[in-house]
Amino acid sequence: QSALTQPASVSGSPGQSITISCTGTNSDVGGYNYVSWYQQHPGKAPKLIIYDVSNRPSGLSNRFSASKSGNTASLTISGLQAEDEADYYCASYASTSGSVFGTGTEVTVL
Amino acid sequence: VQLLESGGALVQPGESLRLSCAVSGFTFSSYGMSWVRQAPGKGLEWVSAISGGGDRTFYADSMKGRVTISRDNSENTLYLQMSSLRAEDTALYYCAKHLGGGRTFDFWGQGTLVTVSS
């Protein structure tokens, strides 16, 4: 099972919006509504920010939103803030292997 | 909710190791659990999952045949038995709780470091 494909890095200025893509196949992203997104700050454990394609956990900022079209899922961060600087990973249920993560995207706030 | 991994160590290639994850704050037997690893400076890689009752297990191809996931619901503890360890297994190993029936990981431990080196 190959990792889902994400851009290596994305950057934006404070207040701007950025979008991170996550591309898979019909056997993972495109086949199930079990796409999730995780934020990971350096030296910290990952934190769930989106589940089941577009749902936010209770208490999470509504600046984070997500969607899916075909085999590609997307995470949008609106009103970019310095604290959003982190690595972001998508993940999906995969029929062939159970679960698969994306390659990860480093978000830089300029 | 708390998850606390332990058991990580420096081992030689070919050796075995058992990781543990002690949990609290939720009804352990009601939720599936997974192990996810992260090699130094690299991305996340799902390793293995187990159902709440422990009757169903799942493994990534990269470690299939070399790892066994198990759980003791009476002790609220998750395990990962690893054998024939290789240098490429060097990573921080996280345990993670599943959210409901899907393969979403809503709570994570802080990880335990496994280093495979001669």
Side-chain angles (χ1 to χ4, degrees):
Chain A
Q1 177 72 49
S2 298
L4 308 175
T5 301
Q6 297 181 232
S9 62
V10 174
S11 62
S13 299
Q16 287 186 330
S17 294
I18 60 169
T19 297
I20 302 169
S21 61
C22 169
T23 301
T25 69
N26 290 332
S27 297
D28 39 65
V29 174
Y32 307 92
N33 287 324
Y34 287 136
V35 177
S36 51
W37 290 88
Y38 303 86
Q39 177 191 62
Q40 186 180 34
H41 286 108
K44 301 294 187 181
K47 174 187 176 182
L48 176 67
I49 57 174
I50 295 287
Y51 67 96
D52 294 352
V53 176
S54 60
N55 295 296
R56 282 187 306 275
S58 176
L60 194 84
S61 170
N62 59 9
R63 296 187 301 103
F64 294 93
S65 62
S67 62
K68 188 187 82 167
S69 177
N71 295 338
T72 299
S74 299
L75 172 72
T76 296
I77 308 175
S78 306
L80 200 61
Q81 299 179 1
E83 67 206 49
D84 299 329
E85 191 160 286
D87 292 329
Y88 291 81
Y89 295 90
C90 61
S92 174
Y93 175 77
S95 60
T96 55
S97 67
S99 290
V100 61
F101 281 93
T103 50
T105 299
E106 180 182 25
V107 169
T108 301
V109 181
L110 301 171
Chain B
V1 173
Q2 289 191 327
L3 297 86
L4 183 62
E5 302 93 338
S6 62
L10 170 62
V11 297
Q12 295 193 347
E15 292 188 338
S16 299
L17 198 62
R18 188 177 82 158
L19 307 182
S20 300
C21 172
V23 313
S24 61
F26 64 99
T27 305
F28 184 55
S29 61
S30 295
Y31 293 92
M33 299 288 296
S34 277
W35 287 96
V36 177
R37 69 181 181 178
Q38 187 170 34
K42 302 297 184 182
L44 301 172
E45 180 187 14
W46 174 77
V47 173
S48 180
I50 187 168
S51 60
D55 55 319
R56 288 173 292 147
T57 57
F58 309 87
Y59 299 97
D61 289 343
S62 60
M63 295 202 81
K64 194 174 293 183
R66 299 190 297 121
V67 295
T68 301
I69 191 171
S70 62
R71 62 192 297 160
D72 184 337
N73 286 344
S74 67
E75 295 291 332
N76 287 354
T77 304
L78 175 73
Y79 300 101
L80 186 70
Q81 178 70 46
M82 302 187 292
S83 62
S84 301
L85 285 164
R86 308 165 181 166
E88 54 264 38
D89 296 321
T90 294
L92 189 62
Y93 285 73
Y94 294 102
C95 64
K97 170 186 170 292
H98 291 187
L99 171 67
R103 201 60 63 77
T104 295
F105 314 110
D106 59 346
F107 288 97
W108 299 63
Q110 288 304 304
T112 187
L113 183 62
V114 173
T115 302
V116 184
S117 175
S118 55

